[in-house]
Every structure is written in C-alpha cells, then in structure tokens.
Amino acid sequence: MDAKKPFIRIIDSTLRDGSHAMRHQFGAEHIRKYAAAAEAARMPMLVVGHGNGLGASSIQLGLSKLYDEEMVRLARAQLSRTRLAVFLIPGFGTVHGNLEPISDMVDAVFVACHCSEADVTQTHIQWVKKHGKEALGVLMMTHMLQPEQLLEQALKMQSYGADAILLMDSAGALLMKDVRARVSALAAGLRVPVGFHAHNNLGLAVANSLVAAESGATIIDCTSRGFGAGAGNCPLEVVVAALHQEGYDTGIDLYKAMDLSEDVTAPLMPKPQQISRISLTSGLAGVFSGFCPLAQAAAERFGVDARDILMELGRRRIVAGQEDYIIEIAAELAKKKDVAKTVKKEEK
Amino acid sequence: MGKIRIAILGTGNIGSDLLAKVRRSPLLECALFAGRNEGSQGIRRAKAMGVATTAESVEGLEQHADSFDLIFDATSAEMHKENAARLLALGKMVVDLTPSKSPLLCIPALNLSKCVEQPGREVNLISCGGQANIPLVSVLQRCELPVRYLEFVSAISSRSAGPATRLNIDEYILKTREAVRFFTGIPNAKVILNLNPAEPPINMHNTIYLQLEGEPDLFRLEKEMRQMEARIRSYVPGYSIRLGPIYSEGIITLMNEVVGHGDFLPKYAGNLDIMTCAAVATAEGYKDKIMQRR
C-alpha cells in the first residue's frame, strides 16, 4: 500500500442505481440480503431507494414496489458500521414530505440536481446540515458543462454547507480527458472532497474512475457488478481491485466484495450488465442512461428505432426527469414515418 | 364606464409584465406601480411610460389608497405573509400571484365567477403548473371518469426560473398539490418540476398522467378537452394541448405547452406568462363588482 496515496471512500449505490435496472421493484428480501452482505464486505456507505431518490416514485419515473420509508428501514436494520444514505432531487422530493419522515434513520443525504442548477439545492442542503447529517452535493449530467462552469456550481453547493461534491457522468458520455479536466478543476477550487460517479456506456467506467482518483477525487460512487441503469455503473469489485493495485486503500474486504457481486448481486439482476446498442447510443447522444428502457418501450409502441429517439433527445438536450419527452418524440418520429410512407406511395 | 384602477406591488419581471398587460387591457389601467427601490429598472421604465410609481412598497399603497381599486401582489410568499394584514386593511381586492396560503384559489377557466360571488377580498392564483393543468383534470371529472391517481410533470426553462422560484420549489409542489385537492378533491397528487437549461430556452411543457377507474370515452374526452383548451386560450393565447388524450393500460396521458405572449418577459417564459394572463383575466372578472362599489 502506497502511503502517499489518499484513502478512497467507496460509495455503494447498488440499492439505488440498481433500482433503475429493476424498474424500481426491489423487494424486502433483496434489500435485507444485499445490505447484510455490504456490511460484511465493510462498505463505507450504502445508498438505498428509488433510482431518482426520495419522492420520485411516479408514473413519470417508475412506480416503486416499496415505500421510501420501508426501504430505508429494511437497510438500516442490517447495518452497524456501514453508513446509510438516501438520494434527493429537488423538484421530485421535498424536505417536509420526503426527507423529514426518514432523516432519523439515515447518516447522509445526497442532494442532486442537473449540473447547471445548483441553487435549487440550497434549502435542502441547509436542512440536512441543520439536522446533523452529512450532505453530499451531486451534479448530474456533467458532460453538459465545461469544467469552469461545473466549479461555479460546485462552489454554490459548498457555500450552502455541502460536505462533499460528486460529479455524475449520468449519460456515460465522458471520455478520460473530460473526467480529468472536470475533477481537477473541482479538486483545485473546492475546500471539500470531490467524488465521481461513472456510467459504462462507452466502456470507460473503471478507467474514468481511476482517472478521477488520479485527478484528486477521494470518493468513488459505484455499484456491485456495475448493476445499474442502461449500460450500468462502475463495477465496485473491479474498481476496488484496480484501486488497490494502484496503491490506494479503500478499507473494503475485496474478496467479500467479489462474493457479494457473484453470490448476491448476480442472481438479483434481470439480465447481465451489457453495453447494448441502445445504451451505447445513449452514451453517444449524451442522454441520461435511465432513458434506455423507456426509449425501447416507446420505440416498440410507436414502431420507430429507439436509437433515433435517443439521438433526438440528445439533440434537444433533454435532461433526467423529462422522461415524458420520450413518448412525444416517439410519436413525432412515427408521424414523420407515416408521412414519408404516404409520400413514397404517391410518388409511385 | 371607467376602467378598473390597478396597483401593482412588486416591480420585478412579473410586475413589469403585469404592467405591460394592464396597459393593453381595455378594462384596466395602472394607477400605481409600487416597489422597494427607487433606482430599480422596473420603476424607471414605469416612470418613462408616465405611470405613477412609489418606492415605499406597502406604505406607498397606504398613502395613495384612494387612487386604485385592486392590487396585484407580485412579490414573494414571504413578503405576502408580512404584508397580509396591511393589504387587507386597505379594503381593496387583492389578486395574489405568490405561492402563499389562501382560502380562495382562482383559476379563471374554472371558477372566476364563483370567486367574484364570494365575500372575501383576496384570491390566490396558485402556480403556473396549477393554472396550466388543473382545468384539464376537471374535464375528466365532468365526464364522470373517477381518477384514482394524478401526476403533473412540468418542465420550464432555467432562464425563466428566477432566484425566488429556485428557493421555493418545495412550496410550488405543496401549493399545486393543495390546489388539485381544492378543485378536484383528489388528495396526494404527485407534482414534479424540472428545470431545463437548453438553449434556445424551452417553453413551459406539462405532462399530465391520470390513472382511471374505468374505460374512458376518448372521443368525448378529446372534444371536451379541446373546449377547455379554447376557454384557457381566451385569456392565455399561447396555451395549447400538444398530445393526447392518449390511453394505455389504465392511464391517460396529456401534454400541454404554454408559449408566452412576450409582453415584457420573453416568449419562452410561458410559465410566468400564464400567471400574468390569469391575473389580468381575474381582475377583469371583478370589474362589475368593483364598479358597483365605486
């Protein structure tokens, strides 16, 4: 172990980001089993809940099998050393409706927003701090802003009291040089620790996470076996192994993390984590990974190519939370197709 | 017959857009444009138009109480709360555009005449999402379709969301949900708000999901929705239904959009425009009542 390298705090978001891949149908047994195994593997922190956080269970984003409170309670019961966190996006979840009822049961709250809108997180971050919990600010879809602009937004979150700021590559669109530029900018400009959350649409999740650590990130957010939306996340056991090889310490029992992946996560997954043509396209389009299954469903429903839907969503710069545009665009594409068919018929 | 004399409290973007609309209205005139800062752009612009102004805010209204009949409160929820007692003491009709608590909510397409009949002197215009979406939900109820669950998803351009909006997203959600209960009886509606930073800025875009008990008569529903659309367009010209009603697996989906008039606020700020349009329509609805009082 290289003594000069900083400790890297691993955040296990399997029970949150994995929710997207399960259409938010995690059951009580899933949560109990996973949380117990995460505790055994000495995970520093576990995040639990609907993929879009507290209060996000909806037709728009997917209805959750269990209520937020149930999920938190189930996880809490299994943990003693591993800290428990929840995720909240202002605009979906509210302080009084969603955060207050569960705040006693959690140690930390990730308050997230689209990367250019940090000021919407002010009241929520301040509330979390006022109630004695760790507040981690999260900037999503970070491929959509330049490093200096991201720093500007991160500084706002820091000023509200955030204990750390995480950059999310929600679309899996960032290349290694893009990660380096963004993480370095934040590491240089912030007082608080910087974190990174990768997605694997371009097959770069582990590499990007290593680059992030090299560039000054001390928090890496990942999931077991990469279980997650679209092409999946950075696979925890793989990035931990690679970080250990690089000389970083994470405090995690790597063998137990591997066992967790093989024995607990793998049976849980509806299908193996792959980079399908859809999720590859969403990475290219720069569109939120969670849109992939919805684009697929809309494509089938309207008889159009899901990739065309994704590219159009990217062209319009549609952000996470705007899932309704998928249907609208699919309908428009179908109409254009019909018009083209009619024109062809007429030309004949 | 004379015009209704309006005092506008709040000289920011919304106040300035209200001023432009009041000046266009054949039934209204701006008697006083009240703010807190003499040097503000809003006040300077109003002065240049020849409109009477004051930088004494509520005190200014109190000093010139004889010059106006109705107040548009375009300040903020916090300020409205602070000023509530003094505004009421003025004895004028108050149309409140802030997301404050209020016993009487008004959506012109739904209950303007009912509001006018009420003895109270304050009405609240809820929120942009409330104004844009609740009328379409009420159509379903009119078609006797029991709604089990309801969801609004609104997307507005980042540029149209000012600092007050950004600090009050939770209040927006709560207020809109309360208004759904007030107008339709449906409790616990899910209300979602997205800010989108795309350039060029997007117009206000709303999606409504309604989970129904029975099968809808889509033909009749579409007809009634179009009628409601026309009602709303009579005072919000940039309002349109973009998609639906479409029905699948027990859920009706509807999408509407609001393009602003561009009076003072840019056209993409349909979310702000629907509020100022609703305010003007409400004030015009009170004309007879106010003239009688005079």
Side-chain angles (χ1 to χ4, degrees):
Chain A
M1 209 68 43
D2 187 344
K4 284 191 237 111
K5 288 221 152 86
F7 180 88
I8 302 290
R9 179 157 64 137
I10 299 292
I11 312 280
D12 182 347
S13 290
T14 310
L15 290 179
R16 195 232 7 117
D17 223 332
S19 184
H20 284 297
M22 295 275 289
R23 309 294 296 259
H24 314 292
Q25 301 301 299
F26 274 133
E29 237 350 89
H30 298 144
I31 295 179
R32 266 191 218 112
K33 206 168 177 205
Y34 189 90
E39 169 80 25
R42 297 158 60 98
M43 295 298 176
M45 182 176 281
L46 190 65
V47 188
V48 71
H50 185 286
N52 296 83
L54 296 173
S57 177
S58 57
I59 294 173
Q60 173 81 346
L61 303 163
L63 291 163
S64 197
K65 182 176 188 161
L66 301 174
Y67 289 122
D68 291 336
E69 202 166 327
E70 275 175 277
M71 290 191 274
V72 171
R73 198 178 299 277
L74 285 162
R76 177 84 272 166
Q78 301 299 322
L79 306 177
S80 46
R81 265 196 22 203
T82 298
R83 286 155 62 82
L84 183 61
V86 286
F87 198 84
L88 174 77
I89 300 176
F92 300 169
T94 63
V95 164
H96 294 295
N98 306 109
L99 200 43
E100 245 172 14
I102 54 93
S103 67
D104 283 343
M105 292 193 277
V106 304
D107 303 297
V109 182
F110 289 76
V111 184
C113 64
H114 185 79
C115 57
S116 55
E117 316 299 321
D119 48 13
V120 306
T121 65
Q122 181 174 347
T123 46
H124 307 76
I125 291 177
Q126 286 173 342
W127 190 94
V128 172
K129 290 314 298 171
K130 191 160 157 213
H131 288 77
K133 309 291 174 182
E134 185 181 0
L136 299 103
V138 177
L139 296 172
M140 303 189 293
M141 302 285 277
T142 50
H143 68 287
M144 289 175 90
L145 278 190
Q146 291 307 306
E148 321 75 60
Q149 297 166 308
L150 283 172
L151 177 59
E152 209 182 305
Q153 299 297 316
L155 282 165
K156 286 186 181 172
M157 287 178 154
Q158 181 177 264
S159 76
Y160 307 147
D163 297 298
I165 314 286
L166 269 77
L167 296 178
M168 270 197 176
D169 182 14
S170 322
L174 292 175
L175 300 173
M176 288 183 280
K177 61 178 168 73
D178 303 324
V179 177
R180 186 168 294 119
R182 284 158 178 73
V183 173
S184 311
L186 261 70
L190 296 176
R191 267 184 292 106
V192 299
V194 178
F196 183 69
H197 168 113
H199 274 278
N200 206 33
N201 302 62
L202 297 175
L204 291 171
V206 175
N208 280 348
S209 302
L210 291 177
V211 167
E214 259 172 30
S215 309
T218 54
I219 301 172
I220 296 295
D221 190 310
C222 45
T223 69
S224 178
R225 217 169 183 78
F227 191 30
N233 296 46
C234 176
L236 190 150
E237 65 280 8
V238 179
V239 78
V240 167
L243 284 168
H244 288 183
Q245 287 289 82
E246 286 270 11
Y248 294 94
D249 183 22
T250 65
I252 287 177
D253 183 328
L254 180 57
Y255 274 24
K256 291 228 167 78
M258 290 184 195
D259 293 341
L260 173 61
S261 166
E262 202 90 5
D263 302 330
V264 181
T265 313
L268 201 56
M269 296 163 79
K271 52 181 177 168
Q273 212 64 57
Q274 287 171 337
I275 304 176
S276 64
R277 60 187 160 183
I278 300 277
S279 43
L280 180 53
T281 306
S282 76
L284 286 173
V287 149
F288 173 53
S289 300
F291 285 1
C292 290
L294 299 169
Q296 185 73 72
E300 283 163 28
R301 186 171 159 193
F302 288 89
V304 295
D305 191 328
R307 289 170 296 188
D308 292 337
I309 299 175
L310 292 168
M311 293 307 284
E312 182 60 21
L313 286 164
R315 210 186 54 80
R316 292 200 208 180
R317 296 172 73 80
I318 299 300
V319 304
Q322 293 185 280
E323 277 75 350
D324 48 335
Y325 279 85
I326 296 172
I327 299 179
E328 187 168 315
I329 288 171
E332 278 174 25
L333 288 170
K335 230 186 191 171
K336 277 202 195 124
K337 215 172 139 187
D338 285 341
V339 171
K341 263 197 203 140
T342 316
V343 170
K344 251 195 165 160
K345 261 196 204 149
E346 287 169 359
E347 281 173 353
K348 278 199 185 136
Chain B
M1 227 186 185
K3 294 187 175 182
I4 307 179
R5 302 165 304 167
I6 308 284
I8 299 174
L9 182 64
T11 56
N13 284 338
I14 299 205
S16 300
D17 193 78
L18 282 167
L19 177 56
K21 285 185 165 70
V22 165
R23 283 160 67 79
R24 268 197 302 115
S25 166
L27 303 176
L28 313 175
E29 66 183 2
C30 186
L32 191 59
F33 194 61
R36 289 180 293 181
N37 176 7
E38 187 70 39
S40 78
Q41 284 188 5
I43 289 196
R44 280 194 271 125
R45 255 189 308 260
K47 276 202 170 117
M49 286 183 222
V51 174
T53 67
T54 169
E56 303 303 312
S57 190
V58 180
E59 217 177 286
L61 295 184
E62 287 164 343
Q63 285 166 7
H64 298 96
D66 292 332
S67 67
F68 56 88
D69 308 305
L70 184 150
I71 303 166
F72 283 150
D73 189 340
T75 57
S76 68
E78 296 77 48
M79 285 204 63
H80 181 83
K81 200 168 171 195
E82 253 181 66
N83 295 330
R86 289 168 80 179
L87 288 177
L88 215 61
L90 286 166
K92 314 288 177 178
M93 195 60 218
V94 177
V95 176
D96 178 21
L97 289 89
T98 75
S100 305
K101 268 201 176 294
S102 170
L104 190 53
L105 307 178
C106 182
I107 296 178
L110 293 182
N111 70 339
L112 181 50
S113 29
K114 266 214 183 105
C115 284
V116 177
E117 285 166 21
Q118 297 295 317
R121 267 185 281 113
E122 180 179 306
V123 284
N124 180 282
L125 299 182
I126 312 152
S127 68
C128 53
Q131 293 290 335
N133 299 319
I134 295 176
L136 298 180
V137 179
S138 74
V139 167
L140 260 98
Q141 298 198 309
R142 213 134 21 110
C143 293
E144 284 131 35
L145 283 166
V147 175
R148 263 172 65 199
Y149 169 80
L150 159 65
E151 201 167 294
F152 291 166
V153 183
S154 299
I156 60 175
S157 64
S158 298
R159 282 226 253 156
S160 73
T165 301
R166 289 155 182 276
L167 280 172
N168 288 291
I169 293 183
D170 281 17
E171 284 78 1
Y172 163 85
I173 290 173
L174 189 65
K175 199 77 227 287
T176 307
R177 210 183 319 158
E178 276 172 13
V180 170
R181 194 185 303 126
F182 179 90
F183 283 97
T184 70
I186 299 166
N188 303 324
K190 182 91 200 122
V191 175
I192 290 173
L193 181 66
N194 287 310
L195 265 56
N196 182 306
E199 290 291 333
I202 62 166
N203 298 314
M204 183 192 196
H205 184 279
N206 300 293
T207 298
I208 305 171
Y209 298 112
L210 297 139
Q211 202 171 44
L212 300 183
E213 292 286 355
E215 285 259 349
D217 174 356
L218 274 185
F219 184 73
R220 180 185 169 197
L221 199 56
E222 161 114 43
K223 223 175 80 179
E224 302 256 0
M225 294 271 178
R226 290 289 165 192
Q227 281 174 14
M228 182 57 78
E229 178 191 37
R231 272 176 79 119
I232 301 172
R233 284 173 72 89
S234 71
Y235 59 97
V236 187
Y239 181 89
S240 64
I241 293 176
R242 280 188 61 93
L243 182 73
I246 59 177
Y247 177 72
S248 170
E249 293 172 18
I251 296 175
I252 288 194
T253 305
L254 267 166
M255 295 184 188
N256 66 69
E257 187 184 64
V258 191
V259 179
H261 204 264
D263 284 304
F264 173 76
L265 297 160
K267 285 194 166 167
Y268 59 75
N271 47 310
L272 303 174
D273 198 73
I274 195 168
M275 292 296 282
T276 54
C277 286
V280 167
T282 303
E284 289 177 348
Y286 275 90
K287 183 169 171 146
D288 291 341
K289 192 171 187 180
I290 287 173
M291 291 312 184
Q292 273 165 29
R293 278 214 204 119
R294 274 213 260 170

